[in-house]
C-alpha cells in the first residue's frame, strides 16, 4: 500500500492523477477525514461527483471500496449482517446424533454462520477500506439512528456475538442528495462537505480531462452552454456527468461546431424532461444562433 | 486559540447555527491538521466541522467574516498598531492630486483587477482607491454612501460602456459578483479606517434578516418550523398505539421461528410472528394561498415543506377558489425557494376571482380524495375560513371530518378576529379542532395539544 498523502495539496494532486479534479475544499476535507478518521457527509445536487469522489479516494489510498446503496426500506439485515439460518439448520442436522446440545449452540452462532453485509464487511475487513454509504437521505430516520454506533465508534453490536470492533479504520463517506434534512445526531458525527456545480474553468478542465480529443474551442463552447442551461430554472439541471456524456456524443458525431442544429439534435443528452427541453430550446437555442453569427 | 473558538461558536449559536461541544472538539482537532496561516484552508476546515447544512454554511461565512475581522481589529487597537499609510496617502499630496499616480490609470487598473477577479490585487487597489478618491477625513460618516461614491468615481459598472476605448476593460462591462466583492473590500477598508480614527470598535451587530437571506423570507425561521414538525411527527406516530392490540392478524415469521426452533432441536414449538408495526399516519393537508392570507402563506408553505420532510405518506393541496394537488412539487424539490416559486407559477390554482370559495374546495377535495379517507387519516386545513360571503358548505366539511380519523384547522388569524366579518370558522369548528397558528410558538402549542389524546378527535 502506498503511503497516505500528508498534505491537502498532495492529496489533490493524487486525486487528479486518478481523473478526479477536486475543488479546493474537497481535497482539504477529504484530507481531514483521513487524518482524523471521521466520516464525511457529502451533500450536493445530483451528478456533481459525490460517488465519484469515494471511488477516487479508494484508488488514491489503494483501498477496496465497499458500497452500500441506500433505499427506502433498507434494514439492518441487508446493511449489517444476517444469520445464515439455512446453513445453521444444515449444521444441526448433520451432527444431530453425535454432538451435544452445548457444542452445537456455541457453534452455530459463530462467525462462520454470519452473512456479512456491506457495513459489517467494512468493519471486519483486515485491510482498511473506503466505505461509501450512498444516498443516505433515501432511508428512514430509523436507519440513520442505527448508523450512529458505527460512525462514532466504528463498532457493531451483534446480540449473539457481542461487540465487533473495527480492526482497521475505514474512511467513510456518506452522500446525500439533500432530499430531506438528516438528523442532527448524524450530522454531528460527520465532517460536512458541500459539493456544488463547478465554475466554468473548473468544469472545462474536467471535461477536457475526459474527452481530450474534442477541440479546445468546442469544449469551451459546450461548457459555456451547459453553464447557461444550468442557470435556467429547470426541473433537473444538467450534471457534470452529463456534460461529459455530451462531449463524448459530440465527439462521436464528429461535430465541428456547436450550432443550432447540432444543439437541437443532441440536447437530449443534457436535458431529460419534456418541459425542460422546450425551455432550453427556446432560451439557449436562440442565443446560440446569435452567438454563431457574431463569432 | 481554543478560547477564541469557543467565542466563535457562541456567536454562531447566537445566529442560530447549532454547534455542539463535540463539533467544537472536532474543530480544534482539524485545526491541528491545517496551517492556520492559510486563511482559506482555515475557514474551510472550520466550516466542515461547524456548519452542517447549506444554510448554516451561509451564516457561517458571514459570521466568520465578522468575527475574525473584529478580532484582528481589536488586537490591533490593543497593540496600538496603525496601518502604515499607502504611498499615495496624505504625505504625497492633498487628496485630489495623488502624486505621480494618474487617476485614469488607477481606474483602469482597478477595472482590470475586478475583471480578473483576483482577490489580492483588488484588496490592494481598494486601499489605493480610498486614498485617491475617498478624501480622508471628509467621509460622509455613513460607510455605504462612501462606497457608492467611490465606485461611481471609478466608473465601475456592470453594464457595457461603449463610449470608452475598446481596450479599456470597462468597455464590455464588468462581472457583477466581482464588483460586489470589490465593494465589500472597499467597505472593509473604510471600516478599518474608521476604527483607526475613533480607536473603538463599532458594536457587533447581529446579522439582519436580509444578510442571512433565509429562504422562508421575512416571516419565519424555516429551521424552527422544521424542528416543530419533527416533534409533530413523533407525536402522530406514537399516538394511540396503546389502544391497538399488540398481536392481531400477524404473519408467522419463518426466519425467527426457525431460529427459535434451534432451541428445541429443530422442531418449531414456538411460533414467532412478525411484529405488528403501526401503520404510518396518512396526512392530507389543505393550504389556503389566497390573498387574504398572503402574509401567512409563506409560513404555511414552510409548514408544508417541513411536513413533507417528515412524512412519506402525505398529500398536499393548495387552494384559492379551487384546489390543486402539489404533492409532487414537494417531492421533487428540496429547496424551499424553488418550491414556493413552482407553486406560485404553475400549481394550476384556478385563480379567477382570487377569492377563496371553501364550499367548492370541500367538494373538490371530496372528489379527488374521496374514498381514500379512512379512520387513520389526518386532515389538516391551513386557512382563515373567510368565505367572502359564499356558502361555507359546512355539511361537506362535516362528512370529510367524519371519514377522516382526525381533522385539525390551523387559522393564521388571532382568535380575536374569528367569526368577525366573513370568517365562518365557527361553522367548521364544530367538526374539527381549530387552533390559532401564526408563529412557530403556536405551532408548538398545536403539537402539544396533539399529545393529549383524550380530547383528540370529535368522534361522531
Amino acid at each position: 500500500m502506498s503511503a497516505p498523502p500528508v498534505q491537502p495539496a498532495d492529496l489533490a494532486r493524487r486525486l487528479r492523477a486518478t481523473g478526479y479534479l477536486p475543488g479546493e475544499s474537497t481535497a482539504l476535507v477529504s484530507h481531514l477525514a483521513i487524518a482524523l478518521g471521521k466520516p464525511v457527509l457529502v451533500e450536493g445536487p445530483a451528478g456533481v461527483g459525490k460517488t465519484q469522489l469515494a471511488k477516487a479516494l479508494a484508488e488514491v489510498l489503494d483501498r477496496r471500496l465497499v458500497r452500500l446503496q441506500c433505499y427506502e426500506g433498507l434494514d439492518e439485515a441487508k446493511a449489517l449482517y444476517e444469520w445464515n439460518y439455512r446453513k445453521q439448520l444444515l449444521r444441526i442436522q448433520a451432527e444431530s446424533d453425535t454432538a451435544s446440545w452445548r457444542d452445537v449452540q456455541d457453534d452455530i452462532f459463530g462467525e462462520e454462520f454470519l452473512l456479512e453485509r456491506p457495513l459489517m464487511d467494512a468493519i471486519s475487513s483486515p485491510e482498511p477500506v473506503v466505505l461509501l454509504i450512498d444516498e443516505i437521505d433515501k432511508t428512514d430516520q430509523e436507519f440513520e439512528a442505527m448508523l450512529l454506533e458505527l460512525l462514532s465508534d466504528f463498532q457493531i453490536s451483534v446480540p449473539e456475538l457481542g461487540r465487533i470492533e473495527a480492526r482497521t479504520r475505514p474512511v467513510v463517506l456518506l452522500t446525500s442528495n439533500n432530499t430531506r434534512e438528516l438528523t442532527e445526531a448524524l450530522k454531528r458525527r460527520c465532517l460536512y462537505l458541500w459539493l456544488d456545480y463547478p465554475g466554468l474553468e473548473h468544469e472545462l478542465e474536467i471535461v477536457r480531462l475526459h474527452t481530450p480529443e474534442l477541440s479546445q474551442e468546442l469544449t469551451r463552447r459546450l461548457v459555456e452552454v451547459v453553464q447557461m442551461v444550468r442557470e435556467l430554472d429547470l426541473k433537473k439541471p444538467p450534471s457534470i456527468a452529463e456534460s461529459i456524456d455530451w462531449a463524448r456524443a459530440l465527439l462521436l458525431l464528429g461535430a465541428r461546431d456547436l450550432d443550432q442544429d447540432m444543439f437541437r439534435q443532441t440536447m437530449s443528452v443534457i436535458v431529460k424532461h419534456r418541459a425542460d427541453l422546450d425551455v432550453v430550446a427556446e432560451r439557449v437555442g436562440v442565443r446560440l444562433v446569435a452567438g454563431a453569427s457574431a463569432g | 486559540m481554543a478560547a477564541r473558538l469557543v467565542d466563535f461558536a457562541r456567536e454562531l449559536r447566537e445566529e442560530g447555527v447549532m454547534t455542539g461541544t463535540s463539533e467544537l472538539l472536532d474543530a480544534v482537532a482539524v485545526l491541528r491538521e491545517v496551517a492556520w496561516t492559510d486563511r482559506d484552508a482555515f475557514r474551510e476546515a472550520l466550516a466542515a466541522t461547524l456548519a452542517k447544512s447549506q444554510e448554516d454554511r451561509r451564516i457561517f461565512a458571514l459570521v466568520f467574516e465578522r468575527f475574525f475581522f473584529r478580532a484582528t481589529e481589536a488586537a490591533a487597537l490593543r497593540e496600538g498598531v496603525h496601518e502604515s499609510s499607502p504611498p499615495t496617502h496624505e504625505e504625497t499630496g492633498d487628496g485630489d492630486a495623488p502624486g505621480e499616480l494618474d487617476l485614469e490609470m488607477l481606474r483602469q487598473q482597478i477595472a482590470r483587477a475586478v475583471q480578473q477577479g483576483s482577490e489580492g490585487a483588488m484588496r490592494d487597489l481598494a486601499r489605493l482607491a480610498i486614498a485617491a478618491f475617498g478624501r480622508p477625513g471628509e467621509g460622509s460618516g455613513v460607510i455605504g454612501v462612501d462606497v457608492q461614491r467611490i465606485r461611481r468615481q471609478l466608473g465601475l459598472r456592470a453594464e457595457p460602456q461603449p463610449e470608452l476605448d475598446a481596450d479599456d476593460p470597462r468597455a464590455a462591462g464588468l462581472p457583477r459578483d466581482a464588483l460586489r466583492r470589490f465593494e465589500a473590500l472597499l467597505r472593509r477598508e473604510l471600516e478599518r479606517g474608521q476604527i483607526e480614527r475613533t480607536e473603538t470598535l463599532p458594536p457587533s451587530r447581529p446579522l439582519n434578516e436580509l444578510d442571512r437571506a433565509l429562504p422562508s423570507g421575512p416571516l419565519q425561521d424555516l429551521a424552527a418550523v422544521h424542528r416543530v414538525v419533527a416533534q409533530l411527527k413523533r407525536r402522530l406516530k406514537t399516538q394511540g398505539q396503546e389502544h391497538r392490540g399488540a398481536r392481531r392478524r400477524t404473519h408467522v415469521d419463518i426466519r425467527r421461528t426457525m431460529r427459535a426452533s434451534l432451541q428445541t432441536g429443530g422442531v418449531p414449538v414456538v411460533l414467532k410472528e412478525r411484529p405488528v408495526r403501526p401503520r404510518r399516519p396518512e396526512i392530507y393537508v389543505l393550504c389556503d394561498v389566497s390573498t387574504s392570507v398572503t402574509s401567512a402563506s409563506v409560513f404555511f408553505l414552510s409548514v408544508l415543506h417541513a411536513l413533507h420532510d417528515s412524512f412519506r405518506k402525505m398529500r398536499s393541496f393548495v387552494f384559492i377558489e379551487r384546489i390543486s394537488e402539489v404533492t409532487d412539487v414537494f417531492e421533487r424539490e428540496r429547496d424551499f425557494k424553488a418550491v414556493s416559486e413552482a407553486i406560485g407559477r404553475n400549481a394550476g390554482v384556478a385563480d379567477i376571482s382570487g377569492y377563496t370559495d371553501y364550499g367548492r374546495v370541500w367538494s373538490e377535495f371530496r372528489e379527488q380524495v374521496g374514498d381514500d379517507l379512512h379512520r387513520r387519516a389526518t386532515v389538516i386545513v391551513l386557512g382563515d375560513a373567510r368565505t367572502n360571503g359564499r356558502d361555507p358548505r359546512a355539511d361537506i366539511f362535516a362528512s370529510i371530518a367524519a371519514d377522516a380519523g382526525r381533522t385539525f384547522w390551523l387559522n393564521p388569524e388571532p382568535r380575536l378576529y374569528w367569526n368577525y366579518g366573513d370568517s365562518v370558522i365557527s361553522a367548521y369548528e364544530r367538526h374539527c379542532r381549530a387552533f390559532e397558528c401564526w408563529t412557530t410558538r403556536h405551532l408548538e402549542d398545536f403539537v402539544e395539544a396533539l399529545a393529549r389524546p383524550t380530547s383528540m378527535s370529535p368522534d361522531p
Side-chain angles (χ1 to χ4, degrees):
Chain A
M1 195 180 115
S2 54
V6 285
Q7 282 293 321
D10 185 29
L11 181 63
R13 194 173 45 71
R14 283 161 68 171
L15 280 174
R16 238 160 227 280
T18 68
Y20 183 90
L21 298 184
E24 201 172 312
S25 57
T26 312
L28 179 74
V29 174
S30 318
H31 169 73
L32 291 176
I34 297 166
L36 300 177
K38 293 212 66 132
V40 190
L41 173 64
V42 191
E43 278 194 326
V48 290
K50 298 186 291 292
T51 308
Q52 205 58 41
L53 172 64
K55 289 183 187 163
L57 270 181
E59 202 177 323
V60 164
L61 297 172
D62 193 19
R63 293 184 180 188
R64 191 160 58 94
L65 179 71
V66 177
R67 179 170 177 173
L68 174 68
Q69 178 70 47
C70 296
Y71 49 86
E72 208 176 332
L74 179 70
D75 60 357
E76 44 191 288
K78 296 200 186 82
L80 272 180
Y81 69 91
E82 199 171 10
W83 289 108
N84 191 346
Y85 66 94
R86 292 184 201 81
K87 201 170 169 191
Q88 286 175 332
L89 272 183
L90 278 176
R91 169 88 177 74
I92 295 165
Q93 284 174 350
E95 297 198 15
S96 56
D97 317 325
T98 53
S100 75
W101 163 243
R102 185 168 288 278
D103 293 343
V104 175
Q105 197 202 19
D106 285 347
D107 222 38
I108 59 171
F109 288 112
E111 286 187 31
E112 188 189 344
F113 297 95
L114 202 64
L115 285 179
E116 287 187 350
R117 302 296 189 207
L119 294 185
M120 180 70 89
D121 183 17
I123 283 282
S124 59
S125 160
E127 304 262 284
V129 297
V130 173
L131 173 62
L132 168 66
I133 302 176
D134 216 0
E135 308 196 347
I136 176 83
D137 52 334
K138 295 266 161 52
T139 61
D140 310 319
Q141 293 196 343
E142 291 76 6
F143 184 79
E144 265 178 50
M146 195 208 77
L147 279 179
L148 298 181
E149 184 189 8
L150 176 80
L151 292 181
S152 55
D153 300 332
F154 292 97
Q155 65 179 33
I156 294 172
S157 299
V158 180
E160 291 87 348
L161 285 180
R163 249 181 17 226
I164 297 185
E165 281 178 34
R167 289 173 209 170
T168 51
R169 280 231 148 175
V171 172
V172 185
L173 273 101
L174 300 101
T175 74
S176 154
N177 283 336
N178 210 9
T179 58
R180 91 184 153 79
E181 198 69 35
L182 300 171
T183 55
E184 286 294 324
L186 183 83
K187 284 185 172 179
R188 199 167 60 231
R189 284 166 174 80
C190 302
L191 299 175
Y192 182 82
L193 174 64
W194 171 261
L195 284 184
D196 210 341
Y197 294 119
L200 184 93
E201 293 302 324
H202 191 186
E203 183 165 15
L204 195 61
E205 215 178 332
I206 295 171
V207 175
R208 270 194 193 137
L209 189 80
H210 286 268
T211 52
E213 305 89 353
L214 204 63
S215 76
Q216 300 267 335
E217 307 89 78
L218 188 52
T219 315
R220 178 169 279 276
R221 193 64 169 279
L222 175 147
V223 173
E224 277 169 3
V225 170
V226 169
Q227 299 250 339
M228 221 188 311
V229 170
R230 253 178 225 147
E231 274 175 22
L232 299 177
D233 186 16
L234 297 185
K235 280 182 184 162
K236 158 97 184 57
S239 66
I240 302 177
E242 279 161 329
S243 39
I244 294 173
D245 282 349
W246 197 24
R248 289 201 177 120
L250 289 182
L251 195 65
L252 259 175
L253 293 172
R256 287 285 172 75
D257 189 21
L258 196 55
D259 52 20
Q260 201 180 17
D261 287 340
M262 190 49 93
F263 182 69
R264 267 183 205 289
Q265 283 163 18
T266 55
M267 75 180 170
S268 58
V269 179
I270 54 167
V271 186
K272 309 266 168 83
H273 272 282
R274 182 65 234 156
D276 287 357
L277 277 175
D278 294 342
V279 174
V280 171
E282 196 179 301
R283 301 265 194 83
V284 179
V286 172
R287 257 196 263 178
L288 260 189
V289 174
S293 61
Chain B
M1 190 68 215
R4 297 249 56 140
L5 269 180
V6 174
D7 282 348
F8 181 57
R10 194 185 317 119
E11 286 211 11
L12 276 177
R13 274 184 216 134
E14 272 163 20
E15 299 296 346
V17 179
M18 299 299 214
T19 44
T21 313
S22 67
E23 272 143 344
L24 212 55
L25 288 175
D26 285 348
V28 176
V30 294
L31 289 185
R32 253 177 248 139
E33 296 293 327
V34 296
W36 55 271
T37 44
D38 182 348
R39 184 188 157 87
D40 285 339
F42 180 77
R43 193 186 52 222
E44 287 302 320
L46 269 189
T49 49
L50 294 178
K52 306 238 167 136
S53 73
Q54 237 189 323
E55 275 139 48
D56 286 359
R57 200 51 195 257
R58 205 162 37 222
I59 296 171
F60 174 88
L62 294 169
V63 175
F64 184 88
E65 278 295 298
R66 189 184 73 190
F67 183 82
F68 285 98
F69 172 64
R70 286 176 60 81
T72 45
E73 287 306 312
L77 271 188
R78 233 185 358 260
E79 306 285 328
V81 178
H82 284 260
E83 295 268 329
S84 56
S85 310
T88 53
H89 209 231
E90 289 112 359
E91 298 106 70
T92 43
D94 38 349
D96 281 333
E100 60 271 57
L101 227 154
D102 182 9
L103 282 183
E104 192 53 33
M105 274 279 285
L106 180 62
R107 284 199 183 105
Q108 292 215 9
Q109 249 180 357
I110 290 175
R112 197 159 292 127
V114 170
Q115 196 178 33
Q116 286 159 358
S118 73
E119 194 83 27
M122 284 200 313
R123 189 175 311 148
D124 293 344
L125 287 167
R127 277 194 202 175
L128 278 181
I130 291 168
F133 296 101
R135 289 202 293 275
E138 285 178 40
S140 63
V142 183
I143 287 174
V145 174
D146 286 347
V147 169
Q148 288 311 318
R149 189 165 50 83
I150 293 174
R151 204 192 86 167
R152 258 199 315 280
Q153 285 180 345
L154 286 172
L156 298 172
R157 273 190 243 151
E159 302 83 37
Q161 304 180 58
E163 70 275 8
L164 294 170
D165 292 347
D167 59 332
D168 191 308
R170 282 171 294 170
L174 295 163
R176 253 169 230 284
D177 56 324
L179 262 185
R180 214 168 299 129
R181 267 191 293 157
F182 184 67
E183 273 179 36
L185 286 170
L186 273 180
R187 170 180 293 273
R188 160 106 54 105
E189 290 302 325
L190 283 171
E191 268 176 29
R192 204 194 289 279
Q194 201 175 37
I195 291 167
E196 243 182 58
R197 274 200 307 281
T198 57
E199 306 215 329
T200 48
L201 282 177
S204 151
R205 47 163 201 274
L207 305 172
N208 60 35
E209 286 297 319
L210 216 84
D211 276 348
R212 306 161 161 251
L214 267 176
S216 66
L219 202 63
Q220 294 293 337
D221 188 349
L222 192 66
V225 174
H226 272 259
R227 270 196 293 283
V228 178
V229 170
Q231 267 178 24
L232 174 74
K233 180 190 181 188
R234 276 199 296 280
R235 295 269 155 78
L236 284 179
K237 241 180 156 175
T238 50
Q239 199 172 68
Q241 273 184 43
E242 63 276 13
H243 306 306
R244 231 169 268 150
R247 30 197 327 161
R248 203 182 40 182
R249 279 192 296 125
T250 62
H251 295 280
V252 174
D253 186 338
I254 306 277
R255 193 180 342 141
R256 286 185 54 226
T257 306
M258 288 297 195
R259 199 187 300 166
S261 76
L262 295 178
Q263 300 193 341
T264 48
V267 183
V269 174
V270 183
L271 281 185
K272 293 279 184 183
E273 290 163 349
R274 282 179 201 281
V276 184
R277 296 245 155 72
R279 258 223 249 156
R280 303 215 169 153
E282 281 183 44
I283 303 190
Y284 298 87
V285 184
L286 289 132
C287 178
D288 188 348
V289 289
S290 68
T291 42
S292 61
V293 286
T294 317
S295 55
S297 56
V298 177
F299 175 57
F300 277 169
L301 283 178
S302 62
V303 172
L304 259 187
H305 184 243
L307 282 171
H308 263 279
D309 237 23
S310 308
F311 299 98
R312 296 264 158 165
K313 268 193 175 169
M314 157 157 180
R315 292 174 68 181
S316 39
F317 303 83
V318 293
F319 64 85
I320 296 179
E321 200 170 13
R322 318 183 49 175
I323 71 172
S324 130
E325 180 155 7
V326 291
T327 314
D328 56 324
V329 178
F330 278 99
E331 270 167 11
R332 215 176 39 231
E333 279 292 349
R334 167 91 189 98
D335 183 22
F336 178 73
K337 221 171 118 208
V339 169
S340 48
E341 270 168 14
I343 288 177
R345 195 177 50 234
N346 54 10
V349 196
D351 187 9
I352 302 159
S353 59
Y355 296 120
T356 338
D357 183 349
Y358 277 90
R360 189 163 185 178
V361 167
W362 303 140
S363 59
E364 285 191 355
F365 179 66
R366 270 248 80 120
E367 244 168 66
Q368 289 199 17
V369 176
D371 302 334
D372 291 351
L373 275 183
H374 53 79
R375 298 291 304 158
R376 230 176 256 127
T378 305
V379 175
I380 302 175
V381 183
L382 309 165
D384 60 356
R386 293 198 174 273
T387 53
N388 306 298
R390 297 178 192 182
D391 186 0
R393 297 300 302 268
D395 52 321
I396 310 182
F397 183 73
S399 77
I400 292 174
D403 283 353
R406 286 171 297 183
T407 313
F408 300 103
W409 192 299
L410 302 182
N411 195 325
E413 289 182 340
R415 214 167 257 277
L416 194 63
Y417 298 124
W418 290 16
N419 299 314
Y420 191 79
D422 57 353
S423 164
V424 289
I425 184 82
S426 66
Y428 300 126
E429 209 178 353
R430 269 196 293 271
H431 309 289
C432 64
R433 294 187 64 202
F435 296 86
E436 62 179 318
C437 179
W438 35 287
T439 63
T440 40
R441 178 78 231 146
H442 288 125
L443 197 60
E444 269 171 49
D445 290 347
F446 166 59
V447 176
E448 286 290 305
L450 270 183
R452 290 191 292 266
T454 40
S455 56
M456 217 172 65
S457 64
D459 273 33

